[in-house]
Amino acid sequence: MRSSRILGIDPGFGRMGFGCISVVRGKTHALDFGVVTTSANEPMGDRLLALFDDMGELVEQLQPNVIAVEKLFFAKNTTTALRVAESRGIVLLLAARAGIPVIEVGPSQVKLAVAGDGTADKAAMQRMVARLLGLPRVPKPDDAADALAIAITASTMRF
């Protein structure tokens, strides 16, 4: 595999996790991770704009050559599902605008790639993310750890 810089995104409306990794000669390293947040007190349009602006700055700063984003899965709460879909749309728009290819991965696909078990729990996933990236502790918050897991999954795929 050639040298890659992959930005993993765990889509969310109040908190969008991001994790950027580099893969050079088969070695994977965390470059940056965290969350982009919006305030529940703000109008929807303002929150979407804030996500667009903040994620756009991240893409510009981190210069990924691939963006990996978690696929939307069925959710019991349709309001939450719609908001997550809107945040995914922002990521897809930013990637298209920057000419960056997108890899979409499902939750069980991430669990299988990172923990070797498509039904792994959150704690097992977080421990494996820290181990695979050589981090001294589990990345926090959870959304950032999930985004790193998404990036790791993409690194195992051909693109």
Side-chain angles (χ1 to χ4, degrees):
M1 176 189 226
R2 67 186 191 285
S3 173
S4 301
R5 186 177 285 231
I6 304 167
L7 177 59
I9 302 293
D10 181 28
F13 198 70
R15 290 190 326 192
M16 185 178 302
F18 69 90
C20 190
I21 64 171
S22 69
V23 182
V24 180
R25 294 185 200 95
K27 300 275 188 189
T28 306
H29 303 281
L31 299 175
D32 195 8
F33 57 88
V35 293
V36 171
T37 61
T38 64
S39 171
N41 298 327
E42 296 292 319
M44 279 274 283
D46 291 347
R47 292 177 78 181
L48 290 170
L49 180 59
L51 284 174
F52 182 81
D53 289 343
D54 291 347
M55 291 306 297
E57 286 177 24
L58 268 175
V59 168
E60 194 173 309
Q61 173 191 349
L62 297 171
Q63 295 291 302
N65 56 335
V66 173
I67 294 177
V69 64
E70 190 170 50
K71 289 180 186 175
L72 184 61
F73 58 95
F74 177 76
K76 291 179 184 175
N77 184 330
T78 55
T79 300
T80 300
L82 288 171
R83 288 185 174 170
V84 171
E86 290 167 342
S87 68
R88 272 181 39 85
I90 288 169
V91 172
L92 298 175
L93 173 62
L94 286 166
R97 187 178 199 193
I100 302 169
V102 173
I103 294 175
E104 297 182 74
V105 296
S108 61
Q109 185 179 5
V110 174
K111 292 175 181 183
L112 185 61
V114 173
D117 177 359
T119 62
D121 66 14
K122 192 171 268 304
M125 288 291 296
Q126 291 172 347
R127 286 191 304 273
M128 282 306 298
V129 166
R131 183 178 302 156
L132 291 169
L133 296 174
L135 299 173
R137 65 188 62 83
V138 169
K140 293 290 181 192
D142 292 354
D143 307 273
D146 293 347
L148 286 167
I150 291 163
I152 291 166
T153 302
S155 76
T156 68
M157 305 167 83
R158 296 196 141 207
F159 50 87

